[in-house]
Structures are given as C-alpha cells and as structure tokens.
Amino acid sequence: MLSAVFIYNQKGEVLISRLYRHDVKRSVADVFRVHVIASVGAVRSPVTTLGSTTFFHIRYDNLWICAVARHNVNAALVFEFLYRVLGLGVSYFGRFDESAVKSNFVLVYELLDEVLDFGYPQNMEVDTLKLYVTTESVRSRVEAPQITMQATGATTWRRQDISYKKNEAFVDVIEAVNLLVSAKGTVLRSDVQGQIVMRSFLSGMPECKFGLNDKLQMDHAGVDIADCQFHQCVRLGKFDVDRTISFIPPDGEFELMRYRAADNINLPFKVLPVVRERGRTVEYEVLIKANFSAKLCATNMVVTVPTPPSATTCRIKVSGAGKAKYDPEGNALVWRISRLQGLQETSLTAVVDLAPMAKPVVWSRPPISLDFQVLMFTASGLLVRFLKVFEKSNYHSVKWVRYMTKAGSYQVRI
C-alpha cells in the first residue's frame, strides 16, 4: 500500500518523515518538494506521478501532508487516510499546523506508527487511539485488558462499560443548499448536500435503527437521496436489503451519514433583482421572499449585492427587515437581516454613484449571494421517520431530532 508519509511546512521543509517500506528512500521527500511544492502554481492535481512513484497530497493551513506509493493503489482510500490523519491531529492538538507538529512531533510519530502497519491502514478511531496513545491533556482511565479488547474487537469505536444516568440521543439533519439562478430567473443548478450528525449518550452497547423517508423505502413517495456515505459503524448489508440504517453508535458526537439530493428542492428564498445602469449611476431593486412556513424563521442572513469597482457613494433604503451598508473594500452592498419570518418579504433599493473614468470598463456583474440559516426546515424534504434504541438492559432512552438548512453556494445573477 503506502511506502511513506511526509509532512512539510509551506516552505517545503520536512517536519515529519516516516518510511514504511524499503522500496523508497528518504531522499524521495526532496523530489516532492522540488516538483510539487516549489512549482505550486503549475500543480493542479493532488495526485502526481513521477516515474514509478506516485505522490498524494492535501494542504491544510500551512502544512502539506503527503503519502507516497510505488504501486497502483486506491486513490480514494489514500485520501481518506490523509484526511483521517488530519482529523487525528485536530482532535489531539486542537489545531493542526506547523507549530502543533513541532511541539508534538514525538506524538505525531507515535500516531503514524499506530495507524499504519507496513503501509496498510489500521485502527484510526480517535476515541480508541486516545485510550493508549496519551498525552498530558489526553489521559486514559481504562484498564489495559479493556483497551486491548476495544482495539482488537469487532466494535473498535465503542467501549462496553459506558454508563449514563440519563440515556439520550440527539440527531441533527444539516443541509446546505446550492443554487444558481440566471439573470432571467431560470434555475441553472440546484442541489442539496446533507449530513446527519448524531450525539449519543447511551449506556452499554445499544443497537440503533434509523429510518428516513427516502424514495426506495416509501414506495416512491419519499425523497430521492443519492451518493450516501456512512460512518463505519453502519451495517451496510442491512441497508442494501431493506434501506434500514442499523448501527452500534460511537460514544459522543459523530457524523452518521452524508447524502445528496438534486430533485424537487424546496428553495427557502426567492430573490428578484433589478439592476439598471444609467450613465454614471447604477440603480438597484432587490426583493427577497421567504418560501417556508410562517411558523419558521431565518436567522443570520447576509445578502451581498455587488457594485462596480468605480463606485464612490451609495444611497440605500431598506423596506422591511434588516440594515444595509456599502462595503468599499468588497465592492458590495452588505445587507444583514438578523431574523426573517416565513412567507414575509423584504426589499432593498439603492442608487450607486460611479466615478468618472477616462476609459470606460465593462462591469462583469457578479451574482448576488446569500448566507442564512433556517431551523426545522429541510430543502430536500428529508425527515427522520423513527429512531429506535435496543439494549439488553431494556432502559428508556430519550431521542431528539433537529433540522437545519443553511446556504451553500446560493447565488442569483443580475
């Protein structure tokens, strides 16, 4: 599988160098620095093959994390490994940058020794690794036999002796809406990227069953979800047979699944912009309609309306919710709405004065962009039908479900 893992700073200096096989030498780190880091402007792909050696890399903060392979390996698996290493660093140190690596390089080497054996990925569960790879801030209170049982057992992501006075499970369905509308009002692209995050505070080794209103389970009357990605605790065999999500949850917070929906999207807002260029002025009329129920409300809304780079002064009037001001550095009118009730409308009108220019430059008219959050609303229509918890002691558990829709890339051309 992998022959080596290197971590560089943004200058190309090697901070961590770990070889797992004898088919590469330590000097291969210089090859990546010269051909990739030094020529960063020319590198577009995260996979670089030089001769018979392939380099896979990701960038995070001021670090380059690189895996080296000499064989035809699964690229998706390598990148999953690299992002898991990144997640381990953030979980252990709070942040994963050059100073964190330099301050904890012994622990980084110890983690790399645990997660790879002769180039093959091993146990990468954060909670399990924290049982026996410890620091002053990460201490284990579990006995050695229990650590061995969890690290080598069938359920490596959960201990057996977990106990809570109150057994609760919290489920968050979080969706990011992506929208692109043409200047004529035609929807060019709309989709939803969703994730289901669960916080489990359950005793023992509970078996959870989770049901959604997806189309295959609801006889074509539900939501058509695609590209499902699950946490490793989910039993994929049962999902393939009857679309039931069955799993033994890790303790605490984890991402249960990700999905995508592209059909029958319920757009939370309709934006109707009118922009007129009249000589040395630009007139704006922007109307926003909330399409969701009047019982719900949107919060933390930010509407960014672009202005020409030659804009000098602005006269702005808001009819309805929010306040707006001109941001000269961002060449935009920034309209902030702290709260907008469902089915309500709000509008902005503005007149922007332009500076005289010797040679007129055509304005490219960037799109209007929205940022927002709407609680208890899903753009895809996805709903949690049931969440059942089974445990041999047959205790009572309390389940909570929350929905939230937020803006992904929500843009309307003008």
Side-chain angles (χ1 to χ4, degrees), residues 184-235:
K184 295 181 179 180
T186 305
V187 177
L188 303 177
R189 177 176 67 93
S190 67
D191 65 85
V192 168
Q193 301 288 339
Q195 61 177 159
I196 298 179
V197 178
M198 185 172 178
R199 285 177 293 155
S200 167
F201 304 104
L202 302 170
S203 304
M205 295 290 284
E207 173 85 16
C208 296
K209 288 189 177 181
F210 195 82
L212 302 171
N213 64 330
D214 64 303
K215 183 173 287 188
L216 292 179
Q217 199 171 34
M218 298 289 291
D219 295 329
H220 303 284
V223 178
D224 187 11
I225 59 175
D227 299 340
C228 296
Q229 302 175 29
F230 295 100
H231 188 274
Q232 70 177 48
C233 67
V234 176
R235 294 186 174 92

Side-chain angles (χ1 to χ4, degrees), residues 4 10 43 50 70 156 161 184 197 208-209 233 259 264 271 277 317 326 328 336 351 358 378 383 402-403 410:
Q10 59 186 358
V43 176
L50 301 172
R70 295 275 291 181
T156 59
D161 59 344
K184 295 181 179 180
V197 178
C208 296
K209 288 189 177 181
C233 67
Y259 62 91
N264 301 319
V271 183
E277 296 184 49
K317 180 182 178 182
Y326 172 57
R336 299 183 184 276
V351 177
T378 55
L383 297 174
R402 182 179 65 167
Y403 303 94
Y410 206 96

Side-chain angles (χ1 to χ4, degrees), residues 135-310:
T135 63
E136 292 183 359
S137 59
V138 179
R139 295 179 180 271
S140 175
R141 298 180 181 179
V142 183
E143 299 294 332
Q146 294 177 325
I147 294 176
T148 304
M149 184 179 298
Q150 181 174 346
T152 61
T155 311
T156 59
W157 55 85
R158 185 179 180 89
R159 302 198 319 270
Q160 294 188 1
D161 59 344
I162 298 174
S163 178
Y164 289 99
K165 291 183 178 179
K166 187 176 182 181
N167 295 283
E168 296 179 299
F170 300 85
V171 177
D172 289 335
V173 180
I174 304 170
E175 294 190 342
V177 187
N178 301 312
L179 173 71
L180 180 60
V181 178
S182 71
K184 295 181 179 180
T186 305
V187 177
L188 303 177
R189 177 176 67 93
S190 67
D191 65 85
V192 168
Q193 301 288 339
Q195 61 177 159
I196 298 179
V197 178
M198 185 172 178
R199 285 177 293 155
S200 167
F201 304 104
L202 302 170
S203 304
M205 295 290 284
E207 173 85 16
C208 296
K209 288 189 177 181
F210 195 82
L212 302 171
N213 64 330
D214 64 303
K215 183 173 287 188
L216 292 179
Q217 199 171 34
M218 298 289 291
D219 295 329
H220 303 284
V223 178
D224 187 11
I225 59 175
D227 299 340
C228 296
Q229 302 175 29
F230 295 100
H231 188 274
Q232 70 177 48
C233 67
V234 176
R235 294 186 174 92
L236 297 180
K238 289 190 176 182
F239 181 77
D240 292 337
V241 173
D242 57 9
R243 303 293 286 185
T244 300
I245 302 173
S246 179
F247 58 98
I248 297 176
D251 188 44
E253 183 173 329
F254 66 100
E255 184 181 84
L256 179 64
M257 67 175 290
R258 290 193 176 199
Y259 62 91
R260 185 178 66 87
D263 297 329
N264 301 319
I265 304 301
N266 303 315
L267 299 176
F269 295 100
K270 187 173 184 179
V271 183
L272 302 173
V274 177
V275 180
R276 305 182 187 91
E277 296 184 49
R278 302 181 183 275
R280 287 170 51 187
T281 63
V282 180
E283 299 176 355
Y284 293 85
E285 295 179 10
V286 181
L287 176 66
I288 296 179
K289 297 180 180 180
N291 294 332
F292 44 87
S293 169
K295 297 179 181 179
L296 308 178
C297 68
T299 57
N300 302 323
M301 283 189 65
V302 179
V303 184
T304 304
V305 183
T307 61
S310 58

Side-chain angles (χ1 to χ4, degrees), residues 5 13 17 63 73 202 269 348:
V5 172
E13 299 170 346
S17 172
L63 295 179
V73 298
L202 302 170
F269 295 100
L348 174 146

Side-chain angles (χ1 to χ4, degrees), residues 306-327:
T307 61
S310 58
T312 55
T313 59
C314 297
R315 299 182 294 279
I316 307 171
K317 180 182 178 182
V318 175
S319 300
K323 296 181 179 179
K325 66 177 183 179
Y326 172 57
D327 179 15

